[in-house]
Amino acid sequence: MSETMTLPFVAGCQTSIDAAASMESSAPTLREKVLEFIRHMDAHGATDEEMQEALELNPSTQRPRRRELVQRGLVEPSSRKRPTRSGRSATVWIRVG
């Protein structure tokens, strides 16, 4: 995986800029961790909440890494949904190919 991606931040918001900068060194490893989990789940896939629980990642850490994988064409939404702990419907994410 190429590591030249700039992490997203909210323009004009210093705390967002600082948060993005603080993730620069760990984001590639966390991205790989999320991708490997989705690969491991194979066709069953995983919701964001399932990834967060299994990988012990904060939602604010996991979701951006999953979005980056989608942008790179490595992960995509399936047509399936599963309920979250709160009973809401969540997208099941799967690997591409």
Side-chain angles (χ1 to χ4, degrees):
M1 231 184 303
S2 171
E3 304 307 333
T4 60
M5 178 177 279
T6 300
L7 298 179
F9 60 89
V10 176
C13 178
Q14 192 58 49
T15 56
S16 180
I17 294 167
D18 293 346
S22 75
M23 290 299 297
E24 283 293 331
S25 64
S26 59
T29 302
L30 293 169
R31 227 180 350 262
E32 189 64 32
K33 193 174 182 179
V34 170
L35 180 59
E36 285 306 312
F37 181 75
I38 295 171
R39 283 182 178 151
H40 174 75
M41 297 304 289
D42 201 33
H44 182 72
T47 65
D48 282 331
E49 185 174 82
E50 292 165 349
M51 288 180 245
Q52 292 155 14
E53 290 175 2
L55 300 173
E56 298 181 344
L57 292 176
N58 180 290
S60 296
T61 300
Q62 176 272 329
R63 261 191 310 276
R65 305 300 73 83
R66 192 257 308 141
R67 277 194 304 267
E68 292 160 5
L69 293 168
V70 170
Q71 289 173 338
R72 291 174 178 208
L74 299 171
V75 171
E76 65 186 359
S78 73
S79 59
R80 294 174 288 126
K81 307 276 185 207
R82 282 201 284 271
T84 62
R85 287 182 304 218
S86 67
R88 291 186 174 90
S89 184
T91 298
V92 175
W93 298 92
I94 57 173
R95 66 189 172 123
V96 172

Coordinates of all heavy atoms in Angstrom, one line a residue:
M1 N 0.8 -1.2 0.0 CA 0.0 0.0 0.0 C 0.9 1.2 0.0 O 1.8 1.4 0.8 CB -0.8 0.0 1.3 CG -2.3 0.2 1.0 SD -3.3 0.3 2.5 CE -3.0 -1.2 3.4
S2 N 0.6 2.2 -0.9 CA 1.4 3.4 -1.0 C 1.0 4.3 0.2 O -0.1 4.4 0.5 CB 1.1 4.1 -2.3 OG 1.7 5.4 -2.2
E3 N 2.0 4.9 0.8 CA 1.7 5.7 2.0 C 1.8 7.2 1.8 O 2.2 8.0 2.7 CB 2.7 5.3 3.1 CG 2.7 3.8 3.5 CD 1.3 3.3 3.8 OE1 0.4 4.0 4.2 OE2 1.0 2.1 3.5
T4 N 1.5 7.7 0.6 CA 1.6 9.1 0.2 C 0.4 9.9 0.5 O 0.3 11.0 0.2 CB 2.0 9.3 -1.2 OG1 1.0 8.7 -2.0 CG2 3.4 8.6 -1.5
M5 N -0.7 9.2 1.1 CA -1.9 9.9 1.3 C -1.8 10.9 2.4 O -1.2 10.6 3.5 CB -3.0 8.8 1.7 CG -4.3 9.4 2.0 SD -5.5 8.1 2.4 CE -6.0 7.6 0.7
T6 N -2.4 12.1 2.2 CA -2.4 13.1 3.3 C -3.7 12.8 4.1 O -4.8 12.6 3.5 CB -2.5 14.5 2.7 OG1 -1.3 14.7 1.9 CG2 -2.6 15.6 3.7
L7 N -3.6 12.8 5.4 CA -4.8 12.6 6.2 C -5.7 13.8 6.2 O -5.3 14.9 6.1 CB -4.3 12.3 7.6 CG -3.5 11.0 7.8 CD1 -3.1 10.9 9.2 CD2 -4.2 9.8 7.3
P8 N -7.0 13.5 6.2 CA -8.0 14.6 6.1 C -8.1 15.4 7.4 O -7.8 14.9 8.5 CB -9.3 13.8 5.9 CG -9.1 12.5 6.4 CD -7.6 12.2 6.2
F9 N -8.4 16.6 7.3 CA -8.6 17.5 8.4 C -9.6 18.6 8.0 O -9.9 18.8 6.8 CB -7.3 18.1 8.9 CG -6.6 19.0 7.9 CD1 -6.9 20.3 7.8 CD2 -5.7 18.4 7.0 CE1 -6.2 21.1 6.8 CE2 -5.0 19.2 6.1 CZ -5.3 20.5 6.0
V10 N -10.2 19.3 9.0 CA -11.1 20.4 8.8 C -10.3 21.6 8.6 O -9.6 22.1 9.5 CB -12.1 20.5 10.0 CG1 -13.0 21.7 9.7 CG2 -12.9 19.2 10.1
A11 N -10.4 22.2 7.4 CA -9.6 23.5 7.1 C -10.0 24.6 8.1 O -11.2 24.7 8.5 CB -9.9 23.9 5.7
G12 N -9.0 25.2 8.6 CA -9.2 26.3 9.6 C -9.4 25.9 11.0 O -9.6 26.8 11.9
C13 N -9.4 24.6 11.3 CA -9.6 24.1 12.6 C -8.3 23.5 13.1 O -7.9 22.4 12.7 CB -10.7 23.0 12.6 SG -11.0 22.3 14.3
Q14 N -7.7 24.3 14.0 CA -6.3 23.8 14.5 C -6.3 22.5 15.1 O -5.4 21.7 15.0 CB -5.7 24.9 15.4 CG -4.2 24.7 15.6 CD -3.4 24.7 14.4 OE1 -3.5 25.5 13.5 NE2 -2.5 23.6 14.2
T15 N -7.4 22.2 15.9 CA -7.4 20.9 16.6 C -7.5 19.8 15.6 O -6.9 18.7 15.8 CB -8.5 20.8 17.6 OG1 -9.7 21.1 17.0 CG2 -8.3 21.7 18.8
S16 N -8.2 20.0 14.5 CA -8.3 19.0 13.5 C -7.0 18.8 12.7 O -6.6 17.7 12.4 CB -9.4 19.3 12.5 OG -9.5 18.4 11.5
I17 N -6.3 19.9 12.4 CA -5.0 19.9 11.8 C -4.0 19.2 12.7 O -3.3 18.3 12.2 CB -4.6 21.3 11.5 CG1 -5.5 21.9 10.4 CG2 -3.1 21.3 11.0 CD1 -5.3 23.4 10.2
D18 N -4.0 19.5 14.0 CA -3.1 18.8 14.9 C -3.4 17.3 15.0 O -2.5 16.5 15.1 CB -3.3 19.4 16.3 CG -2.8 20.9 16.4 OD1 -2.1 21.3 15.4 OD2 -3.1 21.6 17.4
A19 N -4.7 16.9 15.0 CA -5.1 15.5 15.1 C -4.6 14.8 13.9 O -4.0 13.7 14.0 CB -6.6 15.4 15.3
A20 N -4.7 15.3 12.7 CA -4.3 14.7 11.5 C -2.8 14.5 11.5 O -2.2 13.5 11.2 CB -4.7 15.5 10.2
A21 N -2.1 15.6 11.9 CA -0.6 15.5 12.0 C -0.1 14.4 13.0 O 0.8 13.7 12.8 CB 0.0 16.9 12.4
S22 N -0.9 14.3 14.1 CA -0.5 13.3 15.1 C -0.7 11.9 14.6 O -0.1 10.9 15.2 CB -1.3 13.5 16.4 OG -2.6 13.1 16.3
M23 N -1.5 11.7 13.6 CA -1.8 10.3 13.1 C -0.9 9.9 11.9 O -0.9 8.8 11.5 CB -3.3 10.2 12.6 CG -4.3 10.3 13.7 SD -4.1 8.9 14.9 CE -4.5 7.5 13.8
E24 N -0.1 10.9 11.4 CA 0.7 10.6 10.2 C 1.6 9.3 10.4 O 1.6 8.5 9.4 CB 1.6 11.8 9.9 CG 0.9 12.9 9.3 CD 0.4 12.6 7.8 OE1 1.0 11.8 7.1 OE2 -0.6 13.2 7.5
S25 N 2.2 9.1 11.5 CA 3.1 7.9 11.6 C 2.3 6.6 11.9 O 2.7 5.6 11.5 CB 4.1 8.2 12.7 OG 3.5 8.3 14.0
S26 N 1.2 6.7 12.6 CA 0.4 5.5 12.9 C -0.6 5.1 11.9 O -1.1 3.9 11.8 CB -0.2 5.6 14.3 OG -1.1 6.7 14.4
A27 N -1.1 6.0 11.1 CA -2.2 5.7 10.1 C -1.9 4.6 9.2 O -2.8 3.7 9.0 CB -2.6 7.0 9.4
P28 N -0.7 4.5 8.6 CA -0.4 3.3 7.7 C -0.6 2.0 8.4 O -1.2 1.1 7.8 CB 1.0 3.6 7.2 CG 1.2 5.1 7.4 CD 0.4 5.4 8.6
T29 N -0.1 1.9 9.6 CA -0.2 0.6 10.4 C -1.7 0.3 10.7 O -2.1 -0.8 10.6 CB 0.7 0.7 11.6 OG1 2.0 0.9 11.3 CG2 0.6 -0.6 12.4
L30 N -2.4 1.3 11.1 CA -3.8 1.1 11.5 C -4.6 0.8 10.2 O -5.5 0.0 10.3 CB -4.3 2.4 12.2 CG -3.7 2.7 13.5 CD1 -4.1 4.1 14.0 CD2 -4.2 1.6 14.5
R31 N -4.3 1.4 9.1 CA -5.0 1.1 7.9 C -4.8 -0.3 7.5 O -5.7 -1.0 7.1 CB -4.4 2.0 6.7 CG -5.5 2.7 5.9 CD -5.0 3.5 4.8 NE -3.6 3.9 4.7 CZ -3.1 5.1 5.1 NH1 -3.8 6.0 5.7 NH2 -1.8 5.3 5.0
E32 N -3.6 -0.8 7.6 CA -3.3 -2.2 7.3 C -4.0 -3.1 8.3 O -4.5 -4.2 7.9 CB -1.7 -2.4 7.4 CG -1.3 -3.8 6.9 CD -1.6 -4.0 5.4 OE1 -1.6 -3.1 4.6 OE2 -1.9 -5.2 5.1
K33 N -4.1 -2.8 9.5 CA -4.8 -3.6 10.6 C -6.3 -3.7 10.2 O -6.8 -4.8 10.3 CB -4.6 -2.9 11.9 CG -5.0 -3.7 13.1 CD -4.6 -2.9 14.4 CE -5.0 -3.6 15.6 NZ -4.6 -2.9 16.8
V34 N -6.9 -2.6 9.8 CA -8.3 -2.6 9.4 C -8.5 -3.5 8.1 O -9.4 -4.3 8.0 CB -8.8 -1.2 9.2 CG1 -10.2 -1.2 8.5 CG2 -8.9 -0.4 10.5
L35 N -7.6 -3.3 7.1 CA -7.7 -4.1 5.9 C -7.5 -5.6 6.2 O -8.3 -6.4 5.7 CB -6.6 -3.6 4.9 CG -6.6 -4.3 3.6 CD1 -8.0 -4.2 2.9 CD2 -5.5 -3.8 2.7
E36 N -6.6 -5.9 7.0 CA -6.3 -7.4 7.3 C -7.5 -8.0 8.0 O -7.9 -9.1 7.8 CB -5.1 -7.6 8.1 CG -3.8 -7.4 7.3 CD -3.8 -8.3 6.1 OE1 -4.1 -9.5 6.2 OE2 -3.5 -7.8 5.0
F37 N -8.2 -7.2 8.9 CA -9.4 -7.7 9.6 C -10.5 -7.9 8.5 O -11.2 -9.0 8.6 CB -9.9 -6.7 10.6 CG -11.1 -7.2 11.4 CD1 -11.0 -8.2 12.3 CD2 -12.3 -6.7 11.1 CE1 -12.1 -8.7 13.0 CE2 -13.4 -7.1 11.8 CZ -13.3 -8.2 12.7
I38 N -10.7 -7.0 7.6 CA -11.8 -7.2 6.6 C -11.4 -8.4 5.7 O -12.3 -9.2 5.4 CB -12.0 -5.9 5.8 CG1 -12.5 -4.8 6.7 CG2 -12.9 -6.1 4.6 CD1 -12.5 -3.4 6.1
R39 N -10.2 -8.5 5.4 CA -9.8 -9.7 4.6 C -10.1 -11.0 5.3 O -10.5 -12.0 4.8 CB -8.3 -9.6 4.2 CG -8.0 -8.7 3.1 CD -6.5 -8.7 2.8 NE -6.2 -7.8 1.7 CZ -5.0 -7.2 1.5 NH1 -4.1 -7.3 2.4 NH2 -4.8 -6.4 0.5
H40 N -9.7 -11.0 6.6 CA -9.9 -12.2 7.4 C -11.4 -12.5 7.5 O -11.8 -13.7 7.5 CB -9.4 -11.9 8.9 CG -9.7 -13.0 9.8 ND1 -9.0 -14.2 9.8 CD2 -10.6 -13.1 10.8 CE1 -9.5 -15.0 10.8 NE2 -10.5 -14.3 11.4
M41 N -12.3 -11.5 7.5 CA -13.7 -11.8 7.6 C -14.3 -12.3 6.3 O -15.4 -12.7 6.2 CB -14.4 -10.5 8.1 CG -14.0 -10.0 9.5 SD -14.3 -11.3 10.7 CE -16.0 -11.4 10.8
D42 N -13.5 -12.1 5.2 CA -13.9 -12.6 3.9 C -15.3 -12.2 3.5 O -15.6 -11.0 3.7 CB -13.7 -14.2 3.9 CG -13.6 -14.7 2.4 OD1 -13.0 -14.0 1.6 OD2 -14.1 -15.8 2.2
A43 N -16.1 -13.0 2.9 CA -17.4 -12.6 2.4 C -18.4 -12.2 3.5 O -19.3 -11.5 3.3 CB -18.0 -13.8 1.6
H44 N -18.1 -12.6 4.8 CA -19.0 -12.2 5.9 C -18.9 -10.7 6.1 O -19.8 -10.0 6.5 CB -18.6 -12.9 7.2 CG -19.4 -12.6 8.3 ND1 -20.7 -13.0 8.5 CD2 -19.2 -11.9 9.5 CE1 -21.2 -12.6 9.6 NE2 -20.3 -11.9 10.2
G45 N -17.7 -10.1 5.8 CA -17.5 -8.7 6.0 C -17.6 -8.2 7.4 O -17.6 -9.1 8.3
A46 N -17.6 -6.9 7.6 CA -17.6 -6.4 9.0 C -18.2 -5.0 8.9 O -18.0 -4.2 8.0 CB -16.3 -6.3 9.6
T47 N -19.0 -4.6 9.9 CA -19.5 -3.3 10.1 C -18.4 -2.5 10.8 O -17.4 -3.0 11.3 CB -20.8 -3.2 11.0 OG1 -20.4 -3.7 12.3 CG2 -21.9 -4.1 10.4
D48 N -18.5 -1.2 10.8 CA -17.6 -0.3 11.5 C -17.5 -0.7 12.9 O -16.4 -0.8 13.5 CB -17.9 1.2 11.3 CG -17.5 1.7 9.9 OD1 -16.5 1.2 9.3 OD2 -18.2 2.6 9.5
E49 N -18.7 -0.9 13.5 CA -18.7 -1.2 15.0 C -18.0 -2.5 15.2 O -17.3 -2.7 16.2 CB -20.2 -1.3 15.4 CG -20.3 -1.5 16.9 CD -21.8 -1.4 17.3 OE1 -22.5 -2.4 17.2 OE2 -22.2 -0.3 17.8
E50 N -18.2 -3.5 14.4 CA -17.5 -4.8 14.6 C -16.0 -4.7 14.5 O -15.3 -5.3 15.3 CB -18.0 -5.8 13.5 CG -19.5 -6.2 13.8 CD -20.1 -6.9 12.6 OE1 -19.5 -6.9 11.5 OE2 -21.2 -7.5 12.8
M51 N -15.5 -3.8 13.5 CA -14.1 -3.6 13.4 C -13.6 -2.9 14.7 O -12.5 -3.3 15.2 CB -13.8 -2.7 12.2 CG -14.0 -3.4 10.9 SD -13.6 -2.3 9.5 CE -15.2 -2.2 8.7
Q52 N -14.3 -1.9 15.1 CA -13.9 -1.1 16.3 C -13.7 -2.0 17.5 O -12.8 -2.0 18.3 CB -14.9 0.0 16.6 CG -14.9 1.1 15.5 CD -16.1 1.8 15.4 OE1 -17.0 1.8 16.3 NE2 -16.3 2.6 14.3
E53 N -14.7 -2.9 17.7 CA -14.7 -3.8 18.9 C -13.5 -4.9 18.7 O -12.8 -5.1 19.7 CB -16.0 -4.6 19.0 CG -17.1 -3.6 19.5 CD -18.5 -4.3 19.5 OE1 -18.6 -5.5 19.2 OE2 -19.5 -3.6 19.8
A54 N -13.4 -5.5 17.6 CA -12.4 -6.5 17.4 C -11.0 -6.0 17.4 O -10.1 -6.7 18.0 CB -12.7 -7.2 16.0
L55 N -10.8 -4.8 16.9 CA -9.5 -4.2 16.8 C -9.2 -3.3 18.0 O -8.1 -2.7 18.1 CB -9.3 -3.5 15.5 CG -9.4 -4.4 14.3 CD1 -9.4 -3.5 13.0 CD2 -8.4 -5.5 14.2
E56 N -10.2 -3.1 18.8 CA -10.0 -2.2 20.0 C -9.6 -0.8 19.5 O -8.6 -0.2 20.1 CB -9.1 -2.7 21.0 CG -9.6 -4.0 21.6 CD -8.7 -4.6 22.7 OE1 -7.5 -4.2 22.8 OE2 -9.1 -5.5 23.4
L57 N -10.3 -0.3 18.5 CA -10.0 1.1 18.0 C -11.2 2.0 18.3 O -12.3 1.6 18.2 CB -9.8 1.0 16.5 CG -8.6 0.3 16.0 CD1 -8.6 0.2 14.4 CD2 -7.3 1.0 16.5
N58 N -10.8 3.2 18.6 CA -11.8 4.3 18.7 C -12.5 4.5 17.4 O -11.8 4.5 16.4 CB -11.1 5.6 19.2 CG -12.0 6.7 19.4 OD1 -12.6 7.3 18.5 ND2 -12.2 7.1 20.7
P59 N -13.8 4.8 17.4 CA -14.5 5.1 16.1 C -13.8 6.2 15.3 O -13.8 6.1 14.1 CB -15.9 5.5 16.5 CG -16.1 4.8 17.8 CD -14.8 4.8 18.5
S60 N -13.3 7.2 16.0 CA -12.6 8.3 15.3 C -11.3 7.9 14.7 O -10.7 8.7 13.9 CB -12.4 9.5 16.2 OG -13.7 10.0 16.7
T61 N -10.8 6.8 15.0 CA -9.6 6.2 14.5 C -9.9 5.2 13.4 O -9.3 5.3 12.3 CB -8.7 5.6 15.5 OG1 -8.4 6.5 16.5 CG2 -7.4 5.0 15.0
Q62 N -10.8 4.3 13.6 CA -11.1 3.3 12.7 C -11.8 3.8 11.4 O -11.4 3.4 10.3 CB -12.0 2.2 13.4 CG -12.5 1.1 12.5 CD -13.8 1.4 11.8 OE1 -14.7 2.2 12.3 NE2 -14.0 0.9 10.5
R63 N -12.9 4.6 11.6 CA -13.7 5.0 10.4 C -12.8 5.7 9.4 O -12.9 5.4 8.2 CB -14.8 5.9 10.8 CG -16.1 5.1 10.9 CD -17.3 6.0 11.0 NE -17.3 7.0 12.1 CZ -17.5 6.7 13.4 NH1 -17.9 5.5 13.8 NH2 -17.4 7.7 14.3
P64 N -12.0 6.7 9.7 CA -11.1 7.3 8.7 C -10.2 6.3 8.0 O -10.0 6.5 6.8 CB -10.3 8.4 9.5 CG -11.1 8.7 10.7 CD -11.8 7.3 11.0
R65 N -9.7 5.3 8.7 CA -8.8 4.4 8.1 C -9.6 3.5 7.1 O -9.2 3.2 6.0 CB -8.2 3.4 9.1 CG -7.4 4.1 10.2 CD -6.2 4.9 9.8 NE -6.5 6.2 9.3 CZ -6.7 7.4 9.9 NH1 -6.8 7.4 11.2 NH2 -6.9 8.5 9.3
R66 N -10.9 3.2 7.4 CA -11.7 2.4 6.5 C -12.0 3.3 5.3 O -12.0 2.8 4.2 CB -13.0 1.9 7.2 CG -13.7 0.9 6.4 CD -15.0 1.4 5.7 NE -15.8 2.2 6.7 CZ -16.4 3.3 6.4 NH1 -16.3 3.9 5.2 NH2 -17.2 3.9 7.3
R67 N -12.4 4.5 5.5 CA -12.6 5.4 4.4 C -11.4 5.5 3.4 O -11.6 5.6 2.2 CB -13.0 6.8 4.9 CG -14.5 6.9 5.3 CD -15.0 8.4 5.4 NE -14.2 9.1 6.4 CZ -14.5 9.3 7.7 NH1 -15.5 8.7 8.2 NH2 -13.7 10.0 8.4
E68 N -10.2 5.6 4.0 CA -9.0 5.7 3.2 C -8.9 4.4 2.3 O -8.5 4.5 1.1 CB -7.8 5.8 4.0 CG -7.8 7.2 4.7 CD -6.9 7.3 5.9 OE1 -6.2 6.3 6.3 OE2 -6.9 8.3 6.6
L69 N -9.3 3.2 2.9 CA -9.2 2.0 2.1 C -10.3 2.0 1.0 O -10.0 1.5 -0.1 CB -9.5 0.8 3.1 CG -8.3 0.6 4.1 CD1 -8.8 -0.4 5.2 CD2 -7.1 0.1 3.4
V70 N -11.4 2.6 1.3 CA -12.5 2.7 0.2 C -11.9 3.6 -0.9 O -12.0 3.3 -2.1 CB -13.8 3.3 0.8 CG1 -14.7 3.6 -0.3 CG2 -14.4 2.3 1.8
Q71 N -11.3 4.7 -0.5 CA -10.8 5.7 -1.5 C -9.7 5.0 -2.4 O -9.6 5.3 -3.6 CB -10.1 6.9 -0.8 CG -11.2 7.8 -0.2 CD -10.6 8.9 0.6 OE1 -9.4 8.8 1.1 NE2 -11.3 10.0 0.8
R72 N -9.0 4.1 -1.8 CA -7.9 3.4 -2.5 C -8.5 2.2 -3.3 O -7.7 1.5 -4.0 CB -6.9 2.8 -1.6 CG -6.1 4.0 -1.0 CD -5.1 3.4 0.1 NE -4.3 4.6 0.6 CZ -3.1 4.4 1.1 NH1 -2.5 3.3 1.2 NH2 -2.5 5.5 1.6
G73 N -9.7 1.9 -3.2 CA -10.3 0.8 -4.0 C -10.1 -0.5 -3.4 O -10.2 -1.5 -4.1
L74 N -9.8 -0.6 -2.1 CA -9.4 -1.9 -1.5 C -10.6 -2.5 -0.7 O -10.7 -3.7 -0.5 CB -8.2 -1.7 -0.6 CG -7.0 -1.3 -1.2 CD1 -5.9 -0.9 -0.2 CD2 -6.5 -2.4 -2.2
V75 N -11.6 -1.6 -0.3 CA -12.7 -2.0 0.4 C -13.9 -1.3 -0.2 O -13.8 -0.2 -0.7 CB -12.5 -1.6 1.9 CG1 -13.8 -1.7 2.7 CG2 -11.4 -2.3 2.6
E76 N -15.1 -2.0 -0.1 CA -16.3 -1.5 -0.6 C -17.5 -1.9 0.2 O -17.4 -2.9 0.9 CB -16.5 -1.9 -2.1 CG -16.8 -3.4 -2.2 CD -16.8 -3.8 -3.7 OE1 -16.7 -3.0 -4.6 OE2 -17.0 -5.1 -3.9
P77 N -18.6 -1.1 0.1 CA -19.8 -1.5 0.9 C -20.4 -2.7 0.2 O -20.5 -2.8 -1.0 CB -20.7 -0.3 0.9 CG -20.2 0.4 -0.4 CD -18.8 0.1 -0.5
S78 N -20.9 -3.7 1.0 CA -21.7 -4.8 0.4 C -23.1 -4.3 0.3 O -23.5 -3.2 0.8 CB -21.6 -6.0 1.3 OG -22.3 -5.9 2.5
S79 N -24.0 -5.1 -0.2 CA -25.4 -4.8 -0.2 C -26.1 -5.1 1.1 O -27.3 -4.9 1.2 CB -26.1 -5.5 -1.4 OG -26.0 -6.9 -1.2
R80 N -25.3 -5.7 2.0 CA -25.9 -6.1 3.3 C -25.8 -5.1 4.4 O -24.9 -4.3 4.4 CB -25.2 -7.4 3.7 CG -25.5 -8.6 2.7 CD -24.8 -9.8 3.0 NE -23.4 -9.6 2.7 CZ -22.3 -9.8 3.5 NH1 -22.5 -10.3 4.7 NH2 -21.1 -9.6 3.1
K81 N -26.7 -5.2 5.4 CA -26.6 -4.4 6.6 C -26.8 -5.4 7.8 O -27.3 -6.5 7.7 CB -27.8 -3.5 6.6 CG -28.0 -2.6 5.4 CD -27.1 -1.4 5.5 CE -27.4 -0.5 4.3 NZ -26.3 0.3 3.9
R82 N -26.2 -5.0 8.9 CA -26.4 -5.7 10.2 C -26.7 -4.7 11.3 O -26.2 -3.5 11.2 CB -25.1 -6.5 10.5 CG -24.9 -7.8 9.7 CD -24.0 -8.7 10.4 NE -22.6 -8.4 10.3 CZ -21.8 -8.8 9.3 NH1 -22.3 -9.5 8.3 NH2 -20.6 -8.5 9.3
P83 N -27.4 -5.1 12.3 CA -27.8 -4.2 13.4 C -26.6 -3.9 14.3 O -25.7 -4.8 14.5 CB -28.9 -4.9 14.1 CG -28.7 -6.4 13.8 CD -28.1 -6.4 12.5
T84 N -26.5 -2.7 14.7 CA -25.5 -2.3 15.7 C -26.0 -2.6 17.1 O -27.1 -3.1 17.2 CB -25.2 -0.8 15.6 OG1 -26.4 -0.1 16.0 CG2 -24.7 -0.4 14.2
R85 N -25.2 -2.4 18.1 CA -25.7 -2.6 19.5 C -26.9 -1.8 19.8 O -27.7 -2.2 20.6 CB -24.5 -2.2 20.5 CG -23.4 -3.2 20.5 CD -22.4 -2.8 21.6 NE -22.0 -1.5 21.3 CZ -20.7 -1.0 21.4 NH1 -19.8 -1.8 21.9 NH2 -20.4 0.2 21.1
S86 N -27.0 -0.6 19.2 CA -28.1 0.3 19.5 C -29.4 -0.1 18.6 O -30.4 0.5 18.7 CB -27.8 1.7 19.2 OG -27.5 1.9 17.8
G87 N -29.2 -1.1 17.7 CA -30.3 -1.6 16.9 C -30.4 -0.9 15.6 O -31.3 -1.2 14.8
R88 N -29.5 0.1 15.3 CA -29.5 0.7 14.0 C -28.9 -0.1 13.0 O -28.1 -1.0 13.3 CB -28.8 2.1 14.1 CG -29.6 3.1 15.0 CD -28.9 4.4 15.0 NE -29.7 5.4 15.7 CZ -29.6 5.7 16.9 NH1 -28.8 5.0 17.7 NH2 -30.4 6.6 17.5
S89 N -29.2 0.1 11.7 CA -28.7 -0.6 10.6 C -27.3 -0.1 10.2 O -27.1 1.1 10.1 CB -29.7 -0.5 9.4 OG -29.3 -1.2 8.3
A90 N -26.4 -1.0 10.0 CA -25.0 -0.6 9.6 C -24.6 -1.3 8.4 O -24.9 -2.5 8.2 CB -24.0 -0.9 10.8
T91 N -23.8 -0.6 7.6 CA -23.3 -1.2 6.3 C -22.2 -2.3 6.7 O -21.4 -2.1 7.6 CB -22.6 -0.1 5.5 OG1 -23.6 0.9 5.1 CG2 -21.9 -0.6 4.2
V92 N -22.3 -3.3 5.9 CA -21.2 -4.4 6.0 C -20.2 -4.1 4.9 O -20.6 -4.0 3.7 CB -21.9 -5.8 5.8 CG1 -20.8 -6.9 5.8 CG2 -22.9 -6.1 6.9
W93 N -19.0 -4.0 5.3 CA -17.9 -3.6 4.4 C -17.1 -4.9 4.1 O -16.9 -5.8 4.9 CB -16.9 -2.6 5.1 CG -17.6 -1.3 5.4 CD1 -18.3 -1.0 6.5 CD2 -17.8 -0.3 4.5 NE1 -18.8 0.2 6.4 CE2 -18.6 0.7 5.2 CE3 -17.4 0.0 3.2 CZ2 -18.9 1.9 4.6 CZ3 -17.8 1.2 2.6 CH2 -18.5 2.1 3.3
I94 N -16.7 -5.0 2.8 CA -16.0 -6.2 2.3 C -14.8 -5.8 1.5 O -14.7 -4.6 1.0 CB -16.9 -7.1 1.4 CG1 -17.5 -6.3 0.3 CG2 -18.0 -7.8 2.3 CD1 -18.3 -7.2 -0.7
R95 N -13.9 -6.7 1.3 CA -12.7 -6.4 0.5 C -13.1 -6.4 -1.0 O -14.0 -7.1 -1.4 CB -11.6 -7.4 0.7 CG -11.9 -8.8 0.3 CD -10.8 -9.7 0.8 NE -11.3 -11.1 0.5 CZ -10.6 -11.9 -0.2 NH1 -9.4 -11.6 -0.7 NH2 -11.1 -13.1 -0.4
V96 N -12.4 -5.7 -1.8 CA -12.6 -5.6 -3.2 C -11.9 -6.8 -3.9 O -10.8 -7.1 -3.5 CB -12.2 -4.3 -3.9 CG1 -12.2 -4.4 -5.4 CG2 -13.0 -3.1 -3.3
G97 N -12.6 -7.5 -4.8 CA -11.9 -8.6 -5.5 C -12.1 -9.8 -4.7 O -11.7 -10.8 -4.6

